[in-house]
Amino acid sequence: MKATAKANVNIALIKYWGKRDEELILPTNNSLSLTLDGLYTTTTVQFKEELTEDVFTLDGEKVTGVAFKRVTEFLNIIRKEAGKESLYAEINSKNDVPTAAGFASSASGFAALAAAASKAIGLNLSDEELSRITRRGSGSACRSIYGGFAEWQMGEKDDGSDSYAVPIAPRDHWDLRIAAVILTDKQKSVSSRDGMKRTVDSSAFFQGWVESNPADLEGIKEGIKARDFHKVGEIAEANCLKMHATTLAAKPPFTYWTDSTMKVMQEVQKMRADGIPAYFTIDAGPNVKLLYLPEYEETILERLKEISDVTEVILSRAGEGITYL
Ligand code: DP6
């Protein structure tokens, strides 16, 4: 009745941005990500007969309110699957993802929670089944089940039974590096959940985003297979720009970018003009992630440190999928 699992965050190279079903968390397009090393959540779940409700502790603090509700509602799905609807749990999570890094810790959080809870309650799930359940906690989390590159297949069915992630290439396939560039100016941003909803409901560019995604996905998969850095980088950067463009055409319009975000984006373009291969991607926040190859790490770090708005750079690479401790 007790299990501990560890899951890493992932960074999307083809973004998930839009739901066709908010309750079941079904996306409007496939997405593709790289699971990262060293940025993870470790979660222990213990089901206990004597409990009358779940108890959730994150980094040593008891969690209540909306965050607690999201966890306990997610556990309801697992309880239902196991046919043990009145069995509650103690959940202990530890986030080893610097909050400032702007990685969605909900991805590592829900992946670790799904893995630990399903194991503790006695469900013996395949990776595919685990990914499908994890999706219900947070969409992007369903990709963190796997190490290396993973694709979340949107599926077609209304019940979501064909919407889950599959592995594309293992972590040792290609030593692609990621630098998370942390910026000084923080702005209270629209959550990814609210941002994508507003985009789906009102963005004049949403249709174009959805329609152009299959070609990006096809191309990036070829690029990953061939370890073609420029192909992968160009597609990932363009896909990110398209995602962010949809927010500008939403009603009311919004953006996750700040002037510091723009400075880093421009610096990456300058790096390329100077013969340094680097590309960027950005999620639902101001921080920028750079894609690069190991031999350029030092040069890229030097260039980033020259930007006064940069407070920290966190380096990562391909990481492993779910592990049980
Ligand atoms: C911009 O997975 O956080 O990071 O399913 O509502 O929990 P919910 O959304 P979430 O969205 C992630 C959006 C993104 C792109 C991505 O990771 O693919």
Side-chain angles (χ1 to χ4, degrees):
M1 297 295 257
K2 183 177 176 180
T4 300
K6 178 181 156 185
N8 280 303
V9 302
N10 67 74
I11 178 79
L13 304 179
I14 301 293
K15 304 293 184 193
Y16 148 49
W17 195 246
K19 293 182 182 71
R20 65 178 201 278
D21 184 319
E22 283 167 38
E23 166 68 19
L24 294 175
I25 309 200
L26 297 175
T28 47
N29 63 271
N30 291 22
S31 54
L32 187 145
S33 62
L34 178 64
T35 297
L36 298 183
D37 187 43
L39 297 158
Y40 54 88
T41 303
T42 314
T43 296
T44 300
V45 175
Q46 183 166 21
F47 287 96
K48 290 182 169 175
E49 303 283 357
E50 65 268 28
L51 289 175
T52 52
E53 58 174 11
D54 295 319
V55 183
F56 174 35
T57 312
L58 175 62
D59 295 325
E61 307 245 353
K62 191 177 166 187
V63 180
T64 55
V66 183
F68 172 73
K69 197 165 165 252
R70 231 176 125 179
V71 164
T72 199
E73 282 177 359
F74 178 70
L75 286 182
N76 288 343
I77 297 168
I78 298 218
R79 282 188 269 265
K80 195 166 177 212
E81 190 80 17
K84 294 176 181 166
E85 266 146 292
S86 51
L87 186 60
Y88 296 97
E90 268 172 23
I91 307 112
N92 269 294
S93 274
K94 188 173 174 291
N95 259 343
D96 281 282
V97 187
T99 8
F103 283 109
S105 60
S106 67
S108 55
F110 277 101
L113 176 65
S118 58
K119 188 156 189 255
I121 209 163
L123 288 171
N124 199 0
L125 303 178
S126 64
D127 283 349
E128 198 175 290
E129 289 164 333
L130 179 59
S131 175
R132 189 191 295 121
I133 287 196
T134 304
R135 188 198 81 223
R136 302 284 302 275
S138 184
S140 56
C142 81
R143 301 182 305 236
S144 274
I145 303 305
Y146 308 97
F149 296 89
E151 178 186 353
W152 175 9
Q153 301 181 330
M154 62 179 282
E156 287 171 358
K157 295 185 182 159
D158 287 343
D159 68 358
S161 56
D162 57 352
S163 186
Y164 50 81
V166 296
I168 291 296
R171 68 190 293 211
D172 59 5
H173 168 69
W174 188 19
D175 191 9
L176 182 64
R177 301 285 174 95
I178 300 287
V181 185
I182 320 301
L183 301 167
T184 39
D185 57 355
K186 299 277 169 279
Q187 65 169 20
K188 177 139 180 53
S189 67
V190 183
S191 73
S192 48
R193 193 157 281 191
D194 294 346
M196 70 175 87
K197 179 166 166 46
R198 196 190 299 175
T199 301
V200 174
D201 291 346
S202 68
S203 176
F205 296 166
F206 186 65
Q207 202 54 31
W209 157 251
V210 169
E211 278 166 14
S212 69
N213 250 299
D216 287 357
L217 188 78
E218 203 54 41
I220 211 161
K221 287 201 306 201
E222 286 167 15
I224 291 168
K225 198 171 172 202
R227 300 184 197 89
D228 182 336
F229 180 74
H230 288 285
K231 183 164 184 168
V232 168
E234 265 169 32
I235 295 173
E237 190 173 296
N239 187 269
C240 149
L241 290 170
K242 277 191 286 186
M243 173 203 133
H244 287 270
T246 64
T247 70
L248 296 176
K251 283 183 203 148
F254 65 107
T255 183
Y256 290 108
W257 300 351
T258 64
D259 55 341
S260 309
T261 311
M262 295 288 295
K263 276 186 205 161
V264 178
M265 289 160 69
Q266 280 158 355
E267 184 56 31
V268 172
Q269 280 157 355
K270 271 191 227 143
M271 284 185 206
R272 287 206 294 271
D274 295 340
I276 305 161
Y279 293 88
F280 62 78
T281 187
I282 304 161
D283 284 329
N287 291 338
V288 182
K289 281 92 177 182
L290 262 64
L291 275 58
Y292 66 96
L293 293 171
E295 55 269 37
Y296 291 97
E297 186 160 283
E298 230 167 282
T299 319
I300 286 172
L301 266 178
E302 267 166 36
R303 294 283 289 249
L304 288 172
K305 281 180 184 157
E306 280 165 24
I307 311 171
S308 60
D309 310 41
V310 173
T311 50
E312 200 189 339
V313 180
I314 297 172
L315 304 179
S316 187
R317 60 183 76 191
E320 61 187 350
I322 291 285
T323 49
Y324 296 92
L325 309 179

